[in-house]
Amino acid sequence: MPQTPRTTALTHRLVSSPAGRIHLVEQGTGPLVLLVHGFPESWYSWRHQLPALAAAGYRAVAVDVRGYGRSSRPNAVHAYRMLDLVEDNVAVVHALGERTAVIVGHDWGSNIAATSALVRPDVFRAVGLLSVPYTPRGGPRPSEIFAGMGGDEEFYVSYFQEPGRAEAEIEPDVRGWLAGFYAALSADTMPAPDAPDPHFVRRGGTLRERFPAGRLPAWLSEADLDVYAGEFERTGLSGALNRYRAMDRDWEDLAPFDGAPVRQPSLFIGGGLDASTQWLADAIEAYPVTLPGLVSSHILDGCGHWLQQERPQDTNRLLTDWLASLPG
């Protein structure tokens, strides 16, 4: 009978970085694959990918982005600039004794991964983007763009801008808020197309009032929710939300890269029911120009935003097939 490849156990460690420390979890040996999560998650969102990548012959490493989990949480909003997050990733690669890595990100992690590849092509030799397509820097300030969305309602990114405002909604009941947020963007629990959009807030309202209630998505067990809630109950949400509050600083910092493509070999996976994929369809169509090294692009039909957790087997197959195709 064919034998299942042996993999090492999960190993937790803290490494030095410009943030102070970055917590990471690794499994396996081989070429380094760095996994970067989005909002509001942690290294745990890659729990299905770590063993699969390790079994395929890779050293899979999932980080807690600064502001999350056991990684450092600077107080200042400007400490969450994209360029600082890039340097955290570089520090992780070097702390692990490596010179280069493949980087894969989901949600905000997709933006962080793309920018890491753009700014430090000497370190990041290939990039995988999940859920959020690559869009080069350009146009008006992000805060101006998001402020103009929604008409009489407020887009969630604008709602997150004022320090303390979203925290006042979330932190009295972190577990309940997270359950609703995850459900709102999951294929099997998201509101019907004719229901009020959970990405927008009515004037004087909250995000939570539009979240589904009473049922967790199939991918999220009570134990999984406990892991996420336990981390955010301990750390609060300000570190995670500061990523949104640093967008205009990114726009200023990345001016030298205006319109720049990411040229390394790349992969994109999106969810067919994910608003990120739908709203940024033009960005996906622009990939021949913006991602000239694109190896493969996939839309998972009937999948929501949390695709590596909603569809772990499909995600693992696409990731390992892509990784196997990379030179070296």
Side-chain angles (χ1 to χ4, degrees), residues 106-191:
H106 169 257
D107 183 77
W108 261 123
S110 178
N111 295 102
I112 297 168
T115 308
S116 297
L118 178 69
V119 175
R120 295 299 304 268
D122 57 316
V123 176
F124 300 105
R125 62 187 181 91
V127 58
L129 310 176
L130 276 58
S131 294
V132 177
Y134 174 59
T135 55
R137 187 268 187 204
R141 289 178 179 272
S143 62
E144 295 174 0
I145 294 173
F146 293 122
M149 299 174 61
D152 292 335
E153 297 185 333
E154 188 176 17
F155 192 49
Y156 79 98
V157 176
S158 295
Y159 179 72
F160 285 167
Q161 291 304 302
E162 180 184 344
R165 184 183 180 196
E167 289 93 327
E169 174 187 341
I170 302 169
E171 291 179 356
D173 179 19
V174 170
R175 192 177 192 278
W177 194 92
L178 290 175
F181 190 78
Y182 296 144
L185 306 186
S186 298
D188 59 333
T189 50
M190 63 176 53

Side-chain angles (χ1 to χ4, degrees), residues 166-226:
E167 289 93 327
E169 174 187 341
I170 302 169
E171 291 179 356
D173 179 19
V174 170
R175 192 177 192 278
W177 194 92
L178 290 175
F181 190 78
Y182 296 144
L185 306 186
S186 298
D188 59 333
T189 50
M190 63 176 53
D194 58 350
D197 192 330
H199 296 90
F200 293 87
V201 182
R202 66 176 179 83
R203 299 298 174 182
T206 64
L207 275 170
R208 182 172 183 166
E209 66 190 31
R210 294 186 174 179
F211 292 167
R215 184 163 69 98
L216 294 181
W219 62 268
L220 184 69
S221 69
E222 295 285 351
D224 294 331
L225 181 57
D226 285 342

Side-chain angles (χ1 to χ4, degrees), residues 62-304:
V63 299
D64 280 337
V65 174
R66 72 163 68 185
Y68 289 82
R70 292 171 59 194
S71 293
S72 290
R73 299 186 301 280
N75 290 325
V77 170
H78 66 75
Y80 295 85
R81 297 158 58 238
M82 187 67 76
L83 291 181
D84 287 342
L85 303 182
V86 170
E87 289 309 309
D88 285 345
N89 291 335
V90 172
V92 167
V93 173
H94 292 165
L96 293 173
E98 305 286 351
R99 297 177 59 189
T100 63
V102 174
I103 188 167
V104 179
H106 169 257
D107 183 77
W108 261 123
S110 178
N111 295 102
I112 297 168
T115 308
S116 297
L118 178 69
V119 175
R120 295 299 304 268
D122 57 316
V123 176
F124 300 105
R125 62 187 181 91
V127 58
L129 310 176
L130 276 58
S131 294
V132 177
Y134 174 59
T135 55
R137 187 268 187 204
R141 289 178 179 272
S143 62
E144 295 174 0
I145 294 173
F146 293 122
M149 299 174 61
D152 292 335
E153 297 185 333
E154 188 176 17
F155 192 49
Y156 79 98
V157 176
S158 295
Y159 179 72
F160 285 167
Q161 291 304 302
E162 180 184 344
R165 184 183 180 196
E167 289 93 327
E169 174 187 341
I170 302 169
E171 291 179 356
D173 179 19
V174 170
R175 192 177 192 278
W177 194 92
L178 290 175
F181 190 78
Y182 296 144
L185 306 186
S186 298
D188 59 333
T189 50
M190 63 176 53
D194 58 350
D197 192 330
H199 296 90
F200 293 87
V201 182
R202 66 176 179 83
R203 299 298 174 182
T206 64
L207 275 170
R208 182 172 183 166
E209 66 190 31
R210 294 186 174 179
F211 292 167
R215 184 163 69 98
L216 294 181
W219 62 268
L220 184 69
S221 69
E222 295 285 351
D224 294 331
L225 181 57
D226 285 342
V227 172
Y228 286 122
E231 289 291 79
F232 287 111
E233 286 169 348
R234 179 175 57 82
T235 65
L237 270 291
S238 291
L241 290 164
N242 281 343
R243 173 81 288 275
Y244 291 90
R245 296 163 184 162
M247 293 185 306
D248 282 352
R249 290 174 173 84
D250 299 338
W251 183 83
E252 297 167 358
D253 289 343
L254 296 172
F257 297 91
D258 193 78
V262 172
R263 299 190 179 278
Q264 292 96 314
S266 56
L267 164 75
F268 175 72
I269 310 173
L273 299 178
D274 186 1
S276 299
T277 302
Q278 297 167 355
W279 290 340
L280 295 174
D282 289 347
I284 297 173
E285 292 181 5
Y287 278 168
V289 173
T290 61
L291 290 178
L294 185 69
V295 174
S296 58
S297 181
H298 310 270
I299 301 296
L300 302 182
D301 291 338
C303 185

